[in-house]
Each structure stands twice: as C-alpha cells, then as structure tokens.
C-alpha cells in the first residue's frame, strides 16, 4: 500500500508533515473565522431584518446604510480585499502572513456574505408569529431571540453551511498572500515546483471537506426542522 502511495503522490509523501500541518491550519482558519463570521452575520442580519420598512424596529436610514456597507464588501473581489487588509492584519494580529494573517481577511470577506444569508433565513419567519408576539407584549429583543432566531434555526444552519463552503474556497485563495493552510502548500510545493500530485491531493482534501460540511449541515438542518 505504501509503495502504491509513493508511486501516485511521491511529493506529498516527501512533505507529509507539512501537508498535515497545512490541513490543520485550514481547519483552524475555517473553525475560528467561521465562528466569528457567524456571530457577526447573525447580528448584522438581524439588524437588517428588524430595521427594514414595516418591521419591529423600522429605521430606514440604518437599514439603507448598513445594507450598502454589506453590499460593498460583498462586491469586492476577495483577493484584492485580502491585499488591502494587509495593514489591518499587521495591526491586529501582528502579521499579515501565516495562519494569524488569514483571520482578518477571512472574517471581513465572509461576514457580509454570511449576513445576507442570515438576513434571508430570518426573513422567512411568518409575519403572523411576529405580530402575535407583539400582541402578547414581548419587547423587540425578546421577539428577535424567541421568534426570529429560534424559529429560523434550520434556515440559519443552511445559510451557515453555504457560508462555510464558500470560506473553504477562500482559504485556498489566501495562499497567494502567504496566509497558511492548503493554499500556501499548493502554491509553494505544488504549482511553483510543478508537483501536480500535490495539487491533485490538496484539491481532493478540499472537496472532501466541502462534502463533509454539506453533509453535516444537511443533517443538522433536517434534525432541527419541525
């Protein structure tokens, strides 16, 4: 078996320790950046929903300004955004390369996308539930927590699953800026050195990770649907 692996991916075997470290870094990038993006996305998404015209905290000015800011960051090409955010990464994380240098661009690049996913999820709530909650005397924050968030859990999970899958691709793009993970491994040891087995194996790992995230997301969404 080992001889077969050496034949089909000799360069991966030669750099197996670096390969495993790259996978570990990719997992950390997704776990930490994904968690922060979810929190920010839920907050921004909830604000967009409750401040839209006709909702419980209607505020056209806030809704419009926040929506434009979200759309601005969503429209920016990620690779250019990551480069522009280099000084911010250096300021906050102390570096713009390696694992630490990946978090700021990933969070800022993903949070607006996640916010729109969360906004869509929360918007699916039946307006009748919101009106009934208001009639029962619940305050705005109680309605957000007990109605919008709790009743949208399956949709939130589906939206977050899409966000994580998008983030997996972004972690690979960050390899161009030297921010760690499989992206850097592919560029430094695969593309630059014409080691195609490294490129194919790294691609396979990212595809399997995407399938895993999608499978878990579908399962959790199904289990929380009532």
């Amino acid at each position: 078996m080992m001889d077969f692996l050496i034949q089909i991916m000799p360069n991966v075997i030669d750099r197996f320790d670096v390969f495993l470290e790259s996978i570990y870094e990719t997992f950390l990038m997704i776990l930490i950046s994904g968690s922060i993006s979810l929190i920010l996305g839920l907050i921004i998404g909830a604000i967009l929903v409750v401040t839209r015209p006709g909702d419980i905290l209607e505020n056209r000015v806030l809704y419009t300004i926040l929506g434009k800011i979200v759309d601005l960051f969503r429209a920016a090409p990620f690779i250019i955004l990551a480069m522009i955010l280099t000084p911010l990464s250096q300021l906050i994380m102390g570096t713009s390369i390696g694992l630490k240098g990946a978090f700021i661009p990933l969070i800022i690049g993903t949070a607006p996308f996640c916010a729109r996913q969360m906004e869509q999820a929360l918007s699916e709530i039946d307006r009748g539930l919101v009106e009934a909650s208001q009639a029962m005397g619940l305050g705005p924050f109680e309605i957000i927590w007990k109605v919008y968030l709790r009743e949208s859990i399956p949709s939130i999970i589906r939206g977050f699953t899409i966000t994580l899958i998008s983030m997996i691709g972004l972690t690979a793009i960050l390899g161009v800026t030297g921010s760690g993970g499989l992206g850097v491994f592919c560029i430094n040891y695969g593309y630059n050195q014409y080691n195609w087995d490294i490129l194919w194996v790294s691609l396979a790992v990212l595809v399997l990770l995407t399938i895993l995230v999608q499978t878990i997301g579908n399962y959790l969404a199904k289990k929380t649907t009532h």
Side-chain angles (χ1 to χ4, degrees):
M1 182 63 178
M2 181 56 66
D3 291 339
F4 175 71
L5 292 176
I6 292 174
Q7 287 181 351
I8 63 172
M9 51 181 190
N11 297 292
V12 175
I13 298 299
D14 287 344
R15 299 167 178 84
F16 197 65
D17 290 343
V18 181
F19 178 56
L20 290 181
E21 183 180 356
S22 299
I23 295 175
Y24 174 71
E25 288 181 350
T26 298
F27 269 105
L28 280 184
M29 291 158 68
I30 295 170
L31 178 63
I32 296 174
S33 300
S35 299
I36 296 174
S37 295
L38 174 60
I39 295 172
L40 293 176
L42 278 172
I43 293 172
I44 297 171
I47 293 174
L48 287 171
V49 169
V50 299
T51 59
R52 63 186 174 178
D55 220 290
I56 58 175
L57 291 174
E58 179 180 345
N59 188 320
R60 293 176 183 269
V61 175
L62 177 58
Y63 174 78
T64 301
I65 293 176
L66 185 58
K68 295 300 182 183
I69 293 174
V70 169
D71 291 339
L72 174 65
F73 279 96
R74 284 186 64 198
F78 180 71
I79 185 61
I80 298 177
L81 181 64
M83 294 176 182
I84 292 174
L85 292 172
T86 295
L88 185 61
S89 293
Q90 291 175 334
L91 178 64
I92 296 176
M93 305 302 298
T95 180
S96 61
I97 61 175
L99 179 60
K100 289 184 178 180
F103 294 128
I104 298 302
L106 273 179
I107 292 168
I108 295 179
T110 305
F113 177 80
C114 185
R116 285 302 188 189
Q117 294 291 328
M118 297 303 104
E119 179 190 11
Q120 179 62 38
L122 299 177
S123 296
E124 296 175 1
I125 289 297
D126 186 352
R127 286 293 303 170
L129 290 175
V130 177
E131 293 171 357
S133 300
Q134 289 178 305
M136 293 170 59
L138 295 182
F141 293 103
E142 289 180 299
I143 294 175
I144 292 171
W145 177 255
K146 295 182 178 180
V147 179
Y148 278 113
L149 293 177
R150 286 190 179 180
E151 295 298 323
S152 300
I153 290 177
S155 296
I156 289 173
I157 292 174
R158 284 190 286 267
F160 185 53
T161 299
I162 295 173
T163 300
L164 282 184
I165 290 174
S166 174
M167 183 177 285
I168 292 172
L170 298 185
T171 62
I173 293 175
L174 280 177
V176 176
T177 63
S179 296
L182 282 169
V184 168
F185 181 72
C186 284
I187 292 175
N188 291 346
Y189 299 104
Y191 185 77
N192 289 342
Q193 299 182 22
Y194 302 100
N195 294 324
W196 297 104
D197 58 321
I198 287 179
L199 293 174
W200 282 108
V201 172
S202 298
L203 175 62
V205 171
L206 292 173
V207 169
L208 289 174
L209 182 57
T210 299
I211 294 173
L212 177 63
V213 169
Q214 186 67 67
T215 301
I216 294 174
N218 290 343
Y219 173 78
L220 293 176
K222 183 177 180 181
K223 293 295 289 186
T224 54
T225 299
H226 57 273

